Amino acid sequence: MKILAGAIGSDIHTAGILNFLNLARNEGYETIYIGSVIGIDKLLDSIEEASPDIVAVSYRLGKESCEQLLRELKVSLENRGIEKRLIFGGTVETAEVAEKSGLFEKVFDGSEMPEEVVMFLRGKTDEKGEVDYPQTLLERIASKKPYPLIRHHIGLETVDATEEAVRKLAESGLLDIISLAPDQNCQQWFFQQENMISSEDGAGGAPFRKREDFERMYAASRTGNYPLMRCYSGTRDLLKFSLLLKETLNNAWAAIPITWYSQLDGRSDRELLEAIRDNQAAIAWNGGKGIPVEINEAHQWALRYCHAAVEVATAYLAAMAAKRLGVQVYVAQYMFNTPPGISPKMDLAKALAKKELIESLEGDDFTVVTMVRPGLMSLPADPDMARGQLVSSVYTAMNIDPDIVHVVAYCEATRRATDVEIIESVKMAKQAINEAIKGLPDFRQDKEIHEHKQYLKSECKVIIEAIEKIKTGELTSPETIYTAVKTGILDAPGLSKMSVAKGAVRAAIIDGQSCAVDEEGKKIDENDRLTALSGANKD
């Protein structure tokens, strides 16, 4: 494909055209730059000489002069019988004129991010000539490389408000994935609605009560860039929820924990062993249907202030469980800035330790997708400070080459996000992403990061070996995981009041690291912690 481009009329500005041609060359186009201050006759002579597939013209000097210039262009094209795909670039003012002229296939007004231009250059069309947006996760990821997919969640106080927000988010073209956030009544009691507490309708999410509610959300998303749709899994009846979401949303992937949504966290009343069995059955069902699966396990431990070794171990165990249960595409989530106080260096070391262990399991039947997100607990209540934290977190997370960036709106420390705050937050995140894609230092070569990463991998090995000694059947069987929690091999300070967990471990941030500590607050390794734990369990 060949693109010819230049600035027409008396316009001397060239930066926009040159940037566009640079992006086009990177996408494999042959490019021809004919300069600035190009008269219409010279433009058409160049078109006839070069015979390009696409002609890109730029003009920035004013509305009235642009109108006159484009009228001349239209007449001259007709007189010479030239028919080409035309693209326009300019200011908001001149772009509006170009849109009204009807001459151009695509008009850029300067507000677009590089990613949007690249997506246009890659655009595939269907039989109707409309852009064909991939509707499976791996295809969508491939279509946007090197840019990660953008995900955000939405769940407002009413179904109507959520539906309208989904439509606006899709029309914005900024999100590739919209995650629906149902209220807790829905997540826990959708299939047993007689148990719902009406005073809690809309608390924490949208009050979806009917199959048709999910169908409405999907229909609302069929506009703009046709984002992938998905939804939280529910905290009980996970198999029924999985089928519902597959049939109504074409669920992009399922997110199901191993131990959570049970008596462990109080988000359902299921006993822990029963919950682990149910959760693994739902994971296996989705895997068997070819639906990608995220096991949202490790960051739930981190949110209860577990030390880094347990977080790394639970991330690795979750991936091993996914592979054993037949998951073919595994979405590995990395929540940064968690627990609060961890330094960016040690956060990266922890993420890289998890990533290397998880990706060691990859093979022909097991593909790993990397998803990063800011930690909600890291967002300050002050909105300006929260904006800064969001950008900082996304920029740091780009160091592990994510396929998906799960944006968390800057306002979520104090209130749920509407489509307005989500769009603002996504734009901030995209700017951080675009800067990072230009080139980051290789932090994998940093001595402290490398050493701490290796240390965490060795500590994870100690935990895995301890679980091997008490396992029943497979290492990731429900009975084995249950015993690992009950005996305190897997433990977190935030579970100290939970009767089903040991809740005996102490943790602290020391030199930016999330560590297990003894009664005096001194850092201890896993061998020491587990040896002491073994003695306490015997007593």
Side-chain angles (χ1 to χ4, degrees), residues 10 42 50 53 112 138 162 217 303 326 352 360 405 424 437 499:
S10 57
K42 182 178 178 181
D53 300 285
E112 300 81 11
L138 292 185
T162 305
M217 300 305 115
L303 289 169
L352 290 169
S360 71
V405 173
E424 291 174 352
I437 284 175
S499 61

Side-chain angles (χ1 to χ4, degrees), residues 138-440:
L138 292 185
E139 289 175 333
R140 191 89 173 205
I141 289 170
S143 75
K144 286 197 65 178
K145 282 291 186 183
Y147 302 95
L149 303 187
I150 301 296
R151 167 195 171 185
H152 206 291
H153 48 269
I154 184 72
L156 302 181
E157 291 181 347
T158 68
V159 173
D160 288 347
T162 305
E163 179 183 30
E164 182 60 22
V166 167
R167 182 176 292 107
K168 289 179 179 177
L169 292 174
E171 288 172 348
S172 77
L174 291 170
L175 281 79
D176 301 283
I177 304 152
I178 297 176
S179 287
L180 297 178
D183 65 1
Q184 184 57 34
N185 264 339
C186 174
Q187 292 187 61
Q188 187 169 1
W189 301 117
F190 183 84
F191 297 99
Q192 302 175 49
Q193 295 194 19
E194 66 277 7
N195 293 322
M196 289 184 177
I197 302 172
S198 60
S199 62
E200 295 184 6
D201 285 350
F208 301 128
R209 299 293 182 264
K210 299 177 293 185
R211 177 189 181 92
E212 290 76 14
D213 292 340
F214 293 98
E215 292 172 340
R216 284 172 59 186
M217 300 305 115
Y218 185 77
S221 73
R222 299 303 87 192
T223 186
N225 67 340
Y226 289 73
L228 304 180
M229 293 293 289
R230 61 172 308 279
C231 180
Y232 298 178
S233 66
T235 59
R236 63 182 307 130
D237 299 311
L238 275 72
L239 272 173
K240 290 182 180 179
F241 241 113
S242 293
L243 178 60
L244 173 71
L245 300 180
K246 180 180 186 295
E247 292 179 343
T248 59
L249 297 177
N250 188 28
N251 204 27
W253 74 85
I256 301 168
I258 292 180
T259 59
W260 305 98
Y261 306 165
S262 66
Q263 289 179 331
L264 191 61
D265 59 353
R267 292 185 66 186
S268 84
D269 58 359
R270 295 181 300 162
E271 293 185 358
L272 180 58
L273 182 56
E274 172 198 358
I276 297 172
R277 287 171 175 160
D278 289 350
N279 294 355
Q280 290 202 7
I283 291 166
W285 184 90
N286 281 278
K289 298 295 182 181
I291 300 169
V293 174
E294 167 196 351
I295 298 184
N296 49 342
E297 182 71 18
H299 76 267
Q300 296 284 358
W301 287 94
L303 289 169
R304 276 81 183 176
Y305 289 80
C306 76
H307 57 290
V310 165
E311 186 181 344
V312 172
T314 53
Y316 189 34
L317 286 166
M320 285 192 284
K323 186 170 184 176
R324 177 178 66 82
L325 294 167
V327 172
Q328 299 166 52
V329 178
Y330 181 65
V331 180
Q333 177 170 208
Y334 300 80
M335 180 183 284
F336 279 72
N337 325 112
T338 307
I342 191 170
S343 72
K345 265 193 173 186
M346 298 301 101
D347 214 1
L348 277 173
K350 181 179 65 170
L352 290 169
K354 289 192 285 187
K355 188 175 172 71
E356 289 183 8
L357 288 167
I358 291 169
E359 292 182 353
S360 71
L361 302 172
E362 279 196 297
D364 293 340
D365 59 348
F366 192 69
T367 299
V368 176
V369 171
T370 298
M371 178 170 65
V372 299
R373 60 164 291 175
L376 179 59
M377 292 192 297
S378 73
L379 293 176
D382 181 279
D384 293 325
M385 294 173 67
R387 289 180 177 96
Q389 177 62 27
L390 167 61
V391 172
S392 170
S393 181
V394 171
Y395 191 78
T396 299
M398 286 298 293
N399 283 282
I400 69 167
D401 303 320
D403 301 299
I404 304 170
V405 173
H406 177 182
V407 178
V408 178
Y410 66 86
C411 64
E412 293 209 27
T414 56
R415 57 185 170 85
R416 76 178 84 192
T418 70
D419 54 279
V420 174
E421 292 86 10
I422 291 171
I423 288 171
E424 291 174 352
S425 299
V426 168
K427 287 180 177 179
M428 295 175 210
K430 280 178 174 275
Q431 181 60 24
I433 291 166
N434 288 332
E435 285 299 304
I437 284 175
K438 292 176 183 177
L440 289 168

Side-chain angles (χ1 to χ4, degrees), residues 41-225:
D41 286 339
K42 182 178 178 181
L43 172 66
L44 299 192
D45 290 343
S46 299
I47 293 172
E48 289 178 333
E49 180 182 344
S51 189
D53 300 285
I54 299 172
V55 177
V57 299
S58 174
Y59 190 78
R60 300 175 55 86
L61 298 185
K63 181 177 180 180
E64 291 76 13
S65 55
C66 185
E67 288 174 343
Q68 183 176 341
L69 197 59
L70 295 188
R71 280 196 297 268
E72 181 184 349
L73 175 60
K74 184 174 184 179
V75 171
S76 297
L77 286 168
E78 291 173 352
N79 288 341
R80 292 211 197 182
I82 295 174
E83 295 183 2
K84 294 290 180 182
R85 295 174 61 192
L86 300 178
I87 300 170
F88 182 89
T91 63
V92 172
E93 181 183 45
T94 59
E96 183 179 347
V97 174
E99 285 280 9
K100 290 179 180 178
S101 74
L103 279 171
F104 300 98
E105 174 183 332
K106 182 68 176 177
V107 174
F108 296 105
D109 65 11
S111 65
E112 300 81 11
M113 294 184 179
E115 170 195 335
E116 296 174 64
V117 180
V118 169
M119 291 305 105
F120 168 77
L121 290 167
R122 292 181 186 175
K124 298 178 180 179
T125 58
D126 60 20
E127 293 177 355
K128 298 178 182 178
E130 298 174 346
V131 175
D132 181 20
Y133 294 99
Q135 290 299 298
T136 66
L137 183 59
L138 292 185
E139 289 175 333
R140 191 89 173 205
I141 289 170
S143 75
K144 286 197 65 178
K145 282 291 186 183
Y147 302 95
L149 303 187
I150 301 296
R151 167 195 171 185
H152 206 291
H153 48 269
I154 184 72
L156 302 181
E157 291 181 347
T158 68
V159 173
D160 288 347
T162 305
E163 179 183 30
E164 182 60 22
V166 167
R167 182 176 292 107
K168 289 179 179 177
L169 292 174
E171 288 172 348
S172 77
L174 291 170
L175 281 79
D176 301 283
I177 304 152
I178 297 176
S179 287
L180 297 178
D183 65 1
Q184 184 57 34
N185 264 339
C186 174
Q187 292 187 61
Q188 187 169 1
W189 301 117
F190 183 84
F191 297 99
Q192 302 175 49
Q193 295 194 19
E194 66 277 7
N195 293 322
M196 289 184 177
I197 302 172
S198 60
S199 62
E200 295 184 6
D201 285 350
F208 301 128
R209 299 293 182 264
K210 299 177 293 185
R211 177 189 181 92
E212 290 76 14
D213 292 340
F214 293 98
E215 292 172 340
R216 284 172 59 186
M217 300 305 115
Y218 185 77
S221 73
R222 299 303 87 192
T223 186
N225 67 340

